[in-house]
Amino acid sequence: MGEKNSERAVEESVVSKLLGKTKKFPDMATVQAVTVLYGQVSEGLEVLEPMDLTEDRPAVQFLVCKAQSDDP
Amino acid sequence: MTPENPAFDSIFRLAPLVERKEISPVEVTRLHLDRIERLNSEYLAYLDVFFDEAMASSRLAEMEIQKGRYRGPLHGMPIALKDLFHVKGTGMTCGSKAMTGYVSVSDATVHTKLMNAGSILLGKLNMHEFAWGGTSRNLHCGTPRNPWDKARLPGGSSGGCAVALAAGLAMGTLGTDTGGSVRIPASLSGIVGLKPTYGRVSRYGVYPLSESCDHVGPMVRNVADAAILLQAVAGPDDRDPTTSSNAVPDYMVSLKEDVRGLKLGIPRTFFFEDIQPEVHEAVDVAISHFETLGARVFDITIPSIEHVIASSTAIMTAEAYEIHADRLRESSEKYGDDVKIRLLLGACIDAEQYLKAQRFRRLLLNEMMGVFAGVDAMLTPTTLLTACNIDDLAICIGQQEYNTAAHLARVTRPFNMTGLPAISVPCGFTPNDLPIGLQIVGRPFDESTILHLAYAYERSTPWHEKRPNVSG
């Protein structure tokens, strides 16, 4: 039951995020597919919480290798 | 060794013959164009072929060489580009109906470099729509066929590149790799694919997918040709601020057969899990082969690797959505369903999630750099599975079912997240003749070491000499 509620919450979240971003709202099959993927990604990112990601805060950067090589 | 069919020859072997005027660029180009004319409807490698322009360029190359103005190993060599590189005055589809009628108004830097090197552009190659998938299934342009078994996928997104090479329809190609799109098709189609370090090759004039993960890389039939193509396109570019000012070494110098003393790390966790048994076996044999060549092999661990999929999905989808947002709002019906779903996922990723994933990325790189303190390169499978049937949306490994597209990119994506250079070389075949790929990963900007290892492996194994049964 709890799982179903949680799935519904993810779907509602996806629907609300998409509503403002699409002129023509996608069909339900598309919404459901996005919901499944979004659920996996957010769950995957949630488990990062306990990891120490703050140590390297200034290093939120795209050019990971370039920076490493170019910087003095 | 001279191949039986000249369409499968290498740039490395042909270049001196062209320089000595023993082979004419016109003949080589005509041979390829004839094959394309005959075989492309069967393999769907090319979306556009520049018959007249290619012949005119080959005649010009021949004239220059006759006059003693030889430019180097790519002079007179017929190559092709994935159809997301801008070539001024020509159409560019990115494999999508959404780009119908688009004509490029400038040249990609890498195209300019290849033209300056004297190569002949044969045409533009098929791909997964907007490069957003590892299969090259394409509803709009037709799915390119794997020459090893036409019922199977060539891998993607640079599927047309791999097919053109495996079928002898080009001597070299450039693809792009955002989550494995050079290496996956290389693995599934039995060719060589090199994703250089982030910043090594300009992306100016290349249609983006995910700005922080996109790489341009050579796809060829052997390692020496990868070195030649990389040499031609590597280096800084004022028009791409992400390119590095690091000096470009002479990659041909790295083509050595002696790997004694080199230290190789094997990350068993994650990279060897959920893998087809025949792939596992072939990669293990390849690892043992390096030991017999004198390299030293160590098991290594990358502690946080299991989080890479969620993080890279968040980054890639968010960045891809930003690129497609306007078009998606106006005409989402022009996208294939699989691409549309992934793009809309990007619309749902918020800033908190995106930045958390970016922070994880740094942590992951730190862990990998820790590994490289003790080894010179890492070895992994390129893909955990071989080419599957075009209609197989899911595949079974053991008792477990996996989404084909997602599983294909599982062990290539970590190196788009960290920007490290990685090359895929053929390392065996299944009993039903499907190619298997070995991935060799190096330190930032150390393409030389992975080319060295790949070359030594290739020279001492027969896999790169095997050809699919392609008529013509």
Side-chain angles (χ1 to χ4, degrees), chain B residues 129-148:
Chain B
E129 184 179 16
F130 286 113
W132 208 182
T135 63
S136 292
R137 271 190 211 106
N138 191 315
L139 297 170
H140 312 295
C141 310
T143 300
R145 304 297 163 136
N146 193 320
W148 293 95

Side-chain angles (χ1 to χ4, degrees), chain A residues 17 21 23-24 33 38 41-42 45 47 49 51 53 56-57 60-66 68-70, chain B residues 198 241-244 246 304 307 313 321 329-330 347-348 353-354 356 358-359 362 366 418-419 445:
Chain A
K17 282 168 194 270
K21 297 188 178 178
K23 275 190 178 170
K24 203 191 303 173
Y38 182 73
V41 172
S42 18
L45 291 174
V47 299
E49 292 287 13
M51 298 168 67
L53 299 176
D56 240 337
R57 195 171 287 276
V60 177
Q61 57 181 308
F62 297 157
L63 316 179
V64 280
C65 285
K66 177 177 186 288
Q68 193 150 60
S69 143
D70 283 359
Chain B
Y198 190 84
T242 67
T243 50
S244 169
N246 250 22
S304 304
H307 305 296
T313 304
Y321 175 73
R329 259 193 294 273
E330 297 301 326
C348 300
Q353 293 170 315
Y354 178 78
K356 188 189 282 187
Q358 287 286 11
R359 271 193 203 107
R362 185 65 192 192
N366 287 346
T418 51
F445 295 98

Side-chain angles (χ1 to χ4, degrees), chain B residues 29 40 85 126 156 163 181 195 220 236 240 396 458 464 470:
Chain B
T29 302
N40 196 49
F85 291 89
N126 204 348
V163 173
S181 290
K195 180 197 85 65
V220 284
D240 178 357
C396 279
E458 182 185 85
H464 68 290
V470 175

Side-chain angles (χ1 to χ4, degrees), chain B residues 253-274:
Chain B
V253 173
S254 58
L255 303 181
K256 295 175 287 197
E257 293 182 40
D258 185 359
V259 297
R260 279 176 296 178
L262 283 176
K263 290 183 272 187
L264 308 177
I266 317 298
R268 293 277 170 196
T269 306
F270 183 85
F271 290 93
F272 288 76
E273 293 167 356
D274 310 306

